[in-house]
Amino acid sequence: MYSNTCFVKVLIVFTLVIIENECKRPNFILFLTDDQDLLLDSMIPMQSTIKNIANDGITFTEAYAHSPICCPSRSSLLTGKYLHNIHVYNNSINGNCSSNEWQNTHETRTIASYLKSSGYVNFYAGKYLNQYGNKNANGLSHIPPGYDWWYGLEGNSKYHNFTLSINGTKVDFHQEYLTDLIGTYALDFLSHKPLDKEFFMILAPPAAHAPFTPANRHSDKFPTVKTKKMHNFNASATKKHWITQLPPKYLPEDITILDDIQRKRWQTLLSVDELVENVVNKLKNLNILDETYLIFTSDNGFHIGQFGLPWDKRQPYQTDIHIPFLMKGPKLPKKELFNHPVSLVDLAPTILTLANATVPEDMDGISFAHLFNSQDNKNKENERNLVFIEYFGEGNAHSVEKACNFSEEDAENLSECSLENWCKCQDSRNNTYTCTLTFNIATKTKYCLFRDKRNFMEFYNLVQDPYELNNKAPFLTSKEHKIHQHLLSEYKKCTGKSCHDLVLKSYDKI
């Protein structure tokens, strides 16, 4: 038998173990894909991801990118701030994508820097921001603040023949497949990370971004897959904004290239699915899976043929902004669907909340960590009722092929026009808009205001018209227009708490 003294010692040790376990903070791994749609079924190839995250956690059915373009969306995700507060407008240096201004101001206040200050060890591998590594912005020697292990891709997504900054040193790769290399570095980090510190990882593969290059082992998969032809596939755009009405009005009869793109996108995602599986197995082997949050999402969506638009993002429609969002982790329910609206701008404050770190007051996003409490999950008072979408259109004559026969003046205002996509331009300067997605008990609506000469407006009841076929803006009353435009006006000047107040307010009457 234990003596009284021994019993007291054992009790103290046992109590300390309990306290240590209660105080231990979770780890985080964010899988961030590129241009992965939700509505065109790109989760079908992700069976291991569904098994390991969705079936063991939560699927958010109403998750949205704040902007349907890579650099602005990723910048918003990293900072927890809206575009008007970080001034990232497009994928160019002049648009503040990984520019000197960005690096000297907002990049010093990202999720990584805040977690680093809170004691986390941070890791990044893959695509960062489209202009990362630009010689006019410190090149590849630049390591964003907060990261201890850094494997940042130079420029935009590639699958082979890419360059990485490995902790500030430029390294060229030729035969390697980027998604697989990200997995190698991730597993190496998990094997060698400090044992006494929690960690935060972002794994950012190039899939499913162009040029849609699968790993050789996957190049024969999905041989019969074709593009998904929903009701809005090749549908009339006569009641939509200017760029959608540019010729050609409809897609040609031969759309083999669209089927090829759909198939190749799925093929590229198989490597991502393997990445998720390998990381999960490593966490199991290390016995830390149960103390790690796994988050899977994309920076924006994608369209293929909707409204006669060949393939791209950049538009305000659901294909381009509605994204996959899965999450599993400590104390989260299993295999549940959450219909609470969330935006990528909410991810940084949510992670900081779950990490028991301080959420800066000037973050525009709102934490949805409280939703994981079963009691708060039923409480609508702290639920986001409004999601803002914003995009700044570009004109880039260099991306307009001369064979498309646009005048020099028109070419200056257009972008991404090529023979390959039948000279159907994907962007223009007047493709600049701000939208509200409003959620209430009765319905879900979208109101978009374009900053063009006409102040063109689009409005959809997404419950009655999920494919956005019928623009109802001309039928709104002047009062209804004023309400929506007031919200957009308030959004453009909000910051921190004023943004929170705006999205948490009930909008049952609009």
Side-chain angles (χ1 to χ4, degrees), residues 369-386:
H370 66 281
L371 297 177
F372 306 144
N373 181 301
S374 59
Q375 197 63 35
D376 282 348
N377 189 17
K378 301 173 184 178
N379 181 6
K380 300 292 183 180
E381 290 184 4
N382 293 316
E383 182 177 328
R384 175 186 276 277
N385 296 302
L386 204 61

Side-chain angles (χ1 to χ4, degrees), residues 65-67 72 76 81-89 343 345 364-365 384 386-392 433-436 451 483-496 498-503 507:
H66 172 52
S67 186
S76 184
K81 292 186 178 183
Y82 290 128
L83 300 187
H84 64 268
N85 288 326
I86 55 175
H87 312 294
V88 178
Y89 301 116
S343 170
V345 74
D364 305 326
R384 175 186 276 277
L386 204 61
V387 170
F388 291 104
I389 310 296
E390 186 157 31
Y391 180 75
F392 296 84
Y433 55 82
T434 312
C435 305
T436 57
R451 274 173 264 173
I483 291 174
H484 288 287
Q485 291 179 20
H486 174 72
L487 289 176
L488 293 176
S489 175
E490 291 297 301
Y491 156 71
K492 294 296 291 182
K493 59 187 179 184
C494 80
T495 180
S498 62
C499 295
H500 307 168
D501 293 341
L502 197 59
V503 302
Y507 295 99

